[in-house]
Amino acid sequence: MCEKFGIAVDLSVNNFNMQIVLNIAAIFAAVCLLILYAAPPAKPIFTVKKRLPTKTVLYGIRLLAERCAEVEYGFGIKYSSIKIKKLISDLTRNRNIGTVWRDELLNNKQTILSAYEESRKSICLSSALGHVGKYPRLFLFCNYLAENTCGNVSEELLIGSLGYFTAITQSERKCLPDYMRYCLVGLLYTAALAADKRDEVYAKGKRDGALGRVDLDLLESDDYISGID
């Protein structure tokens, strides 16, 4: 009787321990989900740079590949950071301003918007890919190529760059076209914002020049001075 009771006690203790383990596992899973959904994806940063020679770009890719050999989990990147639709909408309303870069962008707006939309699924699922720091490795690769070539990424350069980036997985290769589109649109968006800002400063210079006044805060701006002249 006591022996049976003892066995019964042992089993109840084991069940109790098992329940604790299950509870801990459930809590851990819940915490992981909360972290995943509560932590915001990283905001991508695009920089307009001077175009580098191909050899220099490939050397930079080799250094980047060494830094990106190992990956970790991350939260992806924020697809909606590139507000290209709003930009194109604003430019369309103000098309009478008529600068060359505006006309070029608006004449190709369907191609640009299509590229942006095609990248949506891959970018929205970017947390599934390996990260280096707060960005997906594939984003770092594509963004480096886009920025340092001024968007002129040839097939030959892409193939040569992949030759150095041997750690890229099959999943990353599958998403490569979408990431390349996203980074090119991001670069275009950043350049357009900068050009629009320069246009505004130039226009302010023209207005101030016509009224015989000067904005001292803008005297170091070549665009402002050109507008005044």
Side-chain angles (χ1 to χ4, degrees), residues 119-142:
S119 70
R120 177 189 293 272
K121 183 177 180 180
S122 292
I123 301 302
C124 288
L125 296 175
S126 57
S127 60
L129 297 183
H131 285 53
V132 176
K134 62 179 180 178
Y135 294 110
R137 173 170 61 187
L138 186 59
F139 171 79
L140 295 176
F141 173 79
C142 293

PDB file of all heavy atoms in Angstrom, residues 119-142:
ATOM      1  N   SER A 119       8.677  43.978 -55.069  1.00  0.00           N
ATOM      2  CA  SER A 119       9.585  43.657 -53.962  1.00  0.00           C
ATOM      3  C   SER A 119       8.861  43.489 -52.630  1.00  0.00           C
ATOM      4  O   SER A 119       9.460  43.063 -51.646  1.00  0.00           O
ATOM      5  CB  SER A 119      10.643  44.766 -53.811  1.00  0.00           C
ATOM      6  OG  SER A 119      10.059  45.957 -53.313  1.00  0.00           O
ATOM      7  N   ARG A 120       7.575  43.812 -52.600  1.00  0.00           N
ATOM      8  CA  ARG A 120       6.835  43.874 -51.337  1.00  0.00           C
ATOM      9  C   ARG A 120       6.924  42.581 -50.520  1.00  0.00           C
ATOM     10  O   ARG A 120       7.278  42.585 -49.343  1.00  0.00           O
ATOM     11  CB  ARG A 120       5.357  44.201 -51.591  1.00  0.00           C
ATOM     12  CG  ARG A 120       4.508  44.201 -50.317  1.00  0.00           C
ATOM     13  CD  ARG A 120       3.024  44.323 -50.645  1.00  0.00           C
ATOM     14  NE  ARG A 120       2.701  45.605 -51.210  1.00  0.00           N
ATOM     15  CZ  ARG A 120       2.379  46.692 -50.479  1.00  0.00           C
ATOM     16  NH1 ARG A 120       2.353  46.586 -49.147  1.00  0.00           N
ATOM     17  NH2 ARG A 120       2.080  47.826 -51.046  1.00  0.00           N
ATOM     18  N   LYS A 121       6.584  41.451 -51.132  1.00  0.00           N
ATOM     19  CA  LYS A 121       6.497  40.204 -50.389  1.00  0.00           C
ATOM     20  C   LYS A 121       7.836  39.834 -49.749  1.00  0.00           C
ATOM     21  O   LYS A 121       7.901  39.501 -48.554  1.00  0.00           O
ATOM     22  CB  LYS A 121       6.029  39.062 -51.296  1.00  0.00           C
ATOM     23  CG  LYS A 121       5.853  37.743 -50.560  1.00  0.00           C
ATOM     24  CD  LYS A 121       5.310  36.660 -51.484  1.00  0.00           C
ATOM     25  CE  LYS A 121       5.133  35.347 -50.741  1.00  0.00           C
ATOM     26  NZ  LYS A 121       4.602  34.270 -51.628  1.00  0.00           N
ATOM     27  N   SER A 122       8.910  39.914 -50.521  1.00  0.00           N
ATOM     28  CA  SER A 122      10.227  39.539 -49.998  1.00  0.00           C
ATOM     29  C   SER A 122      10.673  40.467 -48.880  1.00  0.00           C
ATOM     30  O   SER A 122      11.230  40.016 -47.861  1.00  0.00           O
ATOM     31  CB  SER A 122      11.267  39.548 -51.123  1.00  0.00           C
ATOM     32  OG  SER A 122      11.012  38.521 -52.045  1.00  0.00           O
ATOM     33  N   ILE A 123      10.430  41.758 -49.029  1.00  0.00           N
ATOM     34  CA  ILE A 123      10.864  42.715 -48.012  1.00  0.00           C
ATOM     35  C   ILE A 123      10.026  42.582 -46.745  1.00  0.00           C
ATOM     36  O   ILE A 123      10.537  42.663 -45.632  1.00  0.00           O
ATOM     37  CB  ILE A 123      10.804  44.155 -48.557  1.00  0.00           C
ATOM     38  CG1 ILE A 123      11.709  44.296 -49.790  1.00  0.00           C
ATOM     39  CG2 ILE A 123      11.218  45.146 -47.482  1.00  0.00           C
ATOM     40  CD1 ILE A 123      13.159  43.944 -49.558  1.00  0.00           C
ATOM     41  N   CYS A 124       8.734  42.367 -46.904  1.00  0.00           N
ATOM     42  CA  CYS A 124       7.864  42.215 -45.729  1.00  0.00           C
ATOM     43  C   CYS A 124       8.194  40.945 -44.947  1.00  0.00           C
ATOM     44  O   CYS A 124       7.885  40.843 -43.759  1.00  0.00           O
ATOM     45  CB  CYS A 124       6.400  42.209 -46.158  1.00  0.00           C
ATOM     46  SG  CYS A 124       5.794  43.833 -46.693  1.00  0.00           S
ATOM     47  N   LEU A 125       8.801  39.973 -45.603  1.00  0.00           N
ATOM     48  CA  LEU A 125       9.212  38.727 -44.932  1.00  0.00           C
ATOM     49  C   LEU A 125      10.715  38.712 -44.650  1.00  0.00           C
ATOM     50  O   LEU A 125      11.303  37.653 -44.439  1.00  0.00           O
ATOM     51  CB  LEU A 125       8.836  37.525 -45.800  1.00  0.00           C
ATOM     52  CG  LEU A 125       7.334  37.309 -46.042  1.00  0.00           C
ATOM     53  CD1 LEU A 125       7.111  36.155 -47.012  1.00  0.00           C
ATOM     54  CD2 LEU A 125       6.608  37.043 -44.733  1.00  0.00           C
ATOM     55  N   SER A 126      11.335  39.892 -44.639  1.00  0.00           N
ATOM     56  CA  SER A 126      12.793  39.968 -44.519  1.00  0.00           C
ATOM     57  C   SER A 126      13.330  39.483 -43.186  1.00  0.00           C
ATOM     58  O   SER A 126      14.514  39.169 -43.065  1.00  0.00           O
ATOM     59  CB  SER A 126      13.267  41.407 -44.770  1.00  0.00           C
ATOM     60  OG  SER A 126      12.634  42.310 -43.879  1.00  0.00           O
ATOM     61  N   SER A 127      12.471  39.396 -42.169  1.00  0.00           N
ATOM     62  CA  SER A 127      12.944  38.899 -40.875  1.00  0.00           C
ATOM     63  C   SER A 127      13.325  37.419 -40.936  1.00  0.00           C
ATOM     64  O   SER A 127      13.999  36.908 -40.036  1.00  0.00           O
ATOM     65  CB  SER A 127      11.868  39.104 -39.800  1.00  0.00           C
ATOM     66  OG  SER A 127      10.681  38.410 -40.134  1.00  0.00           O
ATOM     67  N   ALA A 128      12.905  36.728 -41.997  1.00  0.00           N
ATOM     68  CA  ALA A 128      13.196  35.298 -42.123  1.00  0.00           C
ATOM     69  C   ALA A 128      14.621  35.038 -42.594  1.00  0.00           C
ATOM     70  O   ALA A 128      15.112  33.906 -42.497  1.00  0.00           O
ATOM     71  CB  ALA A 128      12.207  34.644 -43.095  1.00  0.00           C
ATOM     72  N   LEU A 129      15.285  36.065 -43.118  1.00  0.00           N
ATOM     73  CA  LEU A 129      16.642  35.884 -43.626  1.00  0.00           C
ATOM     74  C   LEU A 129      17.682  36.205 -42.555  1.00  0.00           C
ATOM     75  O   LEU A 129      17.396  36.894 -41.581  1.00  0.00           O
ATOM     76  CB  LEU A 129      16.865  36.778 -44.851  1.00  0.00           C
ATOM     77  CG  LEU A 129      15.990  36.504 -46.081  1.00  0.00           C
ATOM     78  CD1 LEU A 129      16.383  37.435 -47.220  1.00  0.00           C
ATOM     79  CD2 LEU A 129      16.092  35.050 -46.520  1.00  0.00           C
ATOM     80  N   GLY A 130      18.891  35.709 -42.778  1.00  0.00           N
ATOM     81  CA  GLY A 130      19.979  35.973 -41.845  1.00  0.00           C
ATOM     82  C   GLY A 130      20.364  37.437 -41.820  1.00  0.00           C
ATOM     83  O   GLY A 130      20.393  38.103 -42.859  1.00  0.00           O
ATOM     84  N   HIS A 131      20.654  37.955 -40.627  1.00  0.00           N
ATOM     85  CA  HIS A 131      20.989  39.364 -40.437  1.00  0.00           C
ATOM     86  C   HIS A 131      22.446  39.539 -40.018  1.00  0.00           C
ATOM     87  O   HIS A 131      23.037  38.671 -39.368  1.00  0.00           O
ATOM     88  CB  HIS A 131      20.101  39.992 -39.361  1.00  0.00           C
ATOM     89  CG  HIS A 131      18.705  40.275 -39.801  1.00  0.00           C
ATOM     90  ND1 HIS A 131      17.888  39.323 -40.387  1.00  0.00           N
ATOM     91  CD2 HIS A 131      17.963  41.418 -39.733  1.00  0.00           C
ATOM     92  CE1 HIS A 131      16.718  39.869 -40.672  1.00  0.00           C
ATOM     93  NE2 HIS A 131      16.734  41.129 -40.281  1.00  0.00           N
ATOM     94  N   VAL A 132      22.978  40.677 -40.372  1.00  0.00           N
ATOM     95  CA  VAL A 132      24.266  41.132 -39.850  1.00  0.00           C
ATOM     96  C   VAL A 132      23.994  42.491 -39.206  1.00  0.00           C
ATOM     97  O   VAL A 132      23.641  43.449 -39.897  1.00  0.00           O
ATOM     98  CB  VAL A 132      25.325  41.261 -40.957  1.00  0.00           C
ATOM     99  CG1 VAL A 132      26.622  41.829 -40.383  1.00  0.00           C
ATOM    100  CG2 VAL A 132      25.576  39.915 -41.617  1.00  0.00           C
ATOM    101  N   GLY A 133      24.090  42.553 -37.895  1.00  0.00           N
ATOM    102  CA  GLY A 133      23.634  43.750 -37.204  1.00  0.00           C
ATOM    103  C   GLY A 133      22.114  43.797 -37.269  1.00  0.00           C
ATOM    104  O   GLY A 133      21.446  42.783 -37.063  1.00  0.00           O
ATOM    105  N   LYS A 134      21.563  44.942 -37.625  1.00  0.00           N
ATOM    106  CA  LYS A 134      20.103  45.058 -37.662  1.00  0.00           C
ATOM    107  C   LYS A 134      19.521  44.902 -39.056  1.00  0.00           C
ATOM    108  O   LYS A 134      18.312  45.040 -39.237  1.00  0.00           O
ATOM    109  CB  LYS A 134      19.666  46.394 -37.056  1.00  0.00           C
ATOM    110  CG  LYS A 134      20.165  47.622 -37.794  1.00  0.00           C
ATOM    111  CD  LYS A 134      19.644  48.884 -37.089  1.00  0.00           C
ATOM    112  CE  LYS A 134      20.112  50.148 -37.800  1.00  0.00           C
ATOM    113  NZ  LYS A 134      19.582  51.370 -37.149  1.00  0.00           N
ATOM    114  N   TYR A 135      20.358  44.606 -40.043  1.00  0.00           N
ATOM    115  CA  TYR A 135      19.870  44.483 -41.412  1.00  0.00           C
ATOM    116  C   TYR A 135      20.071  43.076 -41.966  1.00  0.00           C
ATOM    117  O   TYR A 135      21.058  42.405 -41.622  1.00  0.00           O
ATOM    118  CB  TYR A 135      20.594  45.476 -42.326  1.00  0.00           C
ATOM    119  CG  TYR A 135      20.306  46.921 -42.011  1.00  0.00           C
ATOM    120  CD1 TYR A 135      21.289  47.734 -41.456  1.00  0.00           C
ATOM    121  CD2 TYR A 135      19.047  47.468 -42.251  1.00  0.00           C
ATOM    122  CE1 TYR A 135      21.031  49.063 -41.156  1.00  0.00           C
ATOM    123  CE2 TYR A 135      18.784  48.794 -41.961  1.00  0.00           C
ATOM    124  CZ  TYR A 135      19.778  49.592 -41.420  1.00  0.00           C
ATOM    125  OH  TYR A 135      19.519  50.907 -41.119  1.00  0.00           O
ATOM    126  N   PRO A 136      19.175  42.639 -42.847  1.00  0.00           N
ATOM    127  CA  PRO A 136      19.399  41.360 -43.533  1.00  0.00           C
ATOM    128  C   PRO A 136      20.685  41.432 -44.359  1.00  0.00           C
ATOM    129  O   PRO A 136      20.986  42.474 -44.965  1.00  0.00           O
ATOM    130  CB  PRO A 136      18.168  41.225 -44.447  1.00  0.00           C
ATOM    131  CG  PRO A 136      17.123  42.092 -43.831  1.00  0.00           C
ATOM    132  CD  PRO A 136      17.868  43.227 -43.219  1.00  0.00           C
ATOM    133  N   ARG A 137      21.429  40.357 -44.372  1.00  0.00           N
ATOM    134  CA  ARG A 137      22.680  40.326 -45.130  1.00  0.00           C
ATOM    135  C   ARG A 137      22.448  40.656 -46.604  1.00  0.00           C
ATOM    136  O   ARG A 137      23.237  41.376 -47.229  1.00  0.00           O
ATOM    137  CB  ARG A 137      23.325  38.942 -45.001  1.00  0.00           C
ATOM    138  CG  ARG A 137      24.545  38.752 -45.880  1.00  0.00           C
ATOM    139  CD  ARG A 137      25.278  37.479 -45.555  1.00  0.00           C
ATOM    140  NE  ARG A 137      24.450  36.297 -45.762  1.00  0.00           N
ATOM    141  CZ  ARG A 137      24.842  35.070 -45.411  1.00  0.00           C
ATOM    142  NH1 ARG A 137      26.032  34.896 -44.840  1.00  0.00           N
ATOM    143  NH2 ARG A 137      24.054  34.030 -45.620  1.00  0.00           N
ATOM    144  N   LEU A 138      21.360  40.144 -47.149  1.00  0.00           N
ATOM    145  CA  LEU A 138      21.067  40.368 -48.563  1.00  0.00           C
ATOM    146  C   LEU A 138      20.821  41.850 -48.844  1.00  0.00           C
ATOM    147  O   LEU A 138      21.198  42.356 -49.911  1.00  0.00           O
ATOM    148  CB  LEU A 138      19.855  39.542 -48.987  1.00  0.00           C
ATOM    149  CG  LEU A 138      19.506  39.556 -50.473  1.00  0.00           C
ATOM    150  CD1 LEU A 138      20.670  39.049 -51.310  1.00  0.00           C
ATOM    151  CD2 LEU A 138      18.260  38.714 -50.737  1.00  0.00           C
ATOM    152  N   PHE A 139      20.195  42.547 -47.906  1.00  0.00           N
ATOM    153  CA  PHE A 139      19.990  43.985 -48.075  1.00  0.00           C
ATOM    154  C   PHE A 139      21.322  44.718 -48.112  1.00  0.00           C
ATOM    155  O   PHE A 139      21.527  45.629 -48.937  1.00  0.00           O
ATOM    156  CB  PHE A 139      19.120  44.541 -46.945  1.00  0.00           C
ATOM    157  CG  PHE A 139      19.050  46.041 -46.932  1.00  0.00           C
ATOM    158  CD1 PHE A 139      18.223  46.714 -47.815  1.00  0.00           C
ATOM    159  CD2 PHE A 139      19.820  46.779 -46.046  1.00  0.00           C
ATOM    160  CE1 PHE A 139      18.171  48.100 -47.826  1.00  0.00           C
ATOM    161  CE2 PHE A 139      19.769  48.166 -46.040  1.00  0.00           C
ATOM    162  CZ  PHE A 139      18.948  48.827 -46.932  1.00  0.00           C
ATOM    163  N   LEU A 140      22.244  44.362 -47.227  1.00  0.00           N
ATOM    164  CA  LEU A 140      23.553  45.003 -47.199  1.00  0.00           C
ATOM    165  C   LEU A 140      24.279  44.806 -48.528  1.00  0.00           C
ATOM    166  O   LEU A 140      24.912  45.732 -49.050  1.00  0.00           O
ATOM    167  CB  LEU A 140      24.392  44.440 -46.049  1.00  0.00           C
ATOM    168  CG  LEU A 140      23.873  44.716 -44.632  1.00  0.00           C
ATOM    169  CD1 LEU A 140      24.753  44.013 -43.604  1.00  0.00           C
ATOM    170  CD2 LEU A 140      23.819  46.213 -44.355  1.00  0.00           C
ATOM    171  N   PHE A 141      24.154  43.617 -49.080  1.00  0.00           N
ATOM    172  CA  PHE A 141      24.791  43.293 -50.359  1.00  0.00           C
ATOM    173  C   PHE A 141      24.200  44.144 -51.493  1.00  0.00           C
ATOM    174  O   PHE A 141      24.924  44.824 -52.228  1.00  0.00           O
ATOM    175  CB  PHE A 141      24.603  41.795 -50.655  1.00  0.00           C
ATOM    176  CG  PHE A 141      25.061  41.367 -52.014  1.00  0.00           C
ATOM    177  CD1 PHE A 141      26.406  41.153 -52.279  1.00  0.00           C
ATOM    178  CD2 PHE A 141      24.140  41.162 -53.035  1.00  0.00           C
ATOM    179  CE1 PHE A 141      26.826  40.743 -53.536  1.00  0.00           C
ATOM    180  CE2 PHE A 141      24.551  40.748 -54.300  1.00  0.00           C
ATOM    181  CZ  PHE A 141      25.896  40.537 -54.545  1.00  0.00           C
ATOM    182  N   CYS A 142      22.879  44.119 -51.622  1.00  0.00           N
ATOM    183  CA  CYS A 142      22.209  44.840 -52.718  1.00  0.00           C
ATOM    184  C   CYS A 142      22.335  46.346 -52.565  1.00  0.00           C
ATOM    185  O   CYS A 142      22.542  47.070 -53.551  1.00  0.00           O
ATOM    186  CB  CYS A 142      20.740  44.441 -52.785  1.00  0.00           C
ATOM    187  SG  CYS A 142      20.463  42.730 -53.280  1.00  0.00           S
TER     188      CYS A 142
END
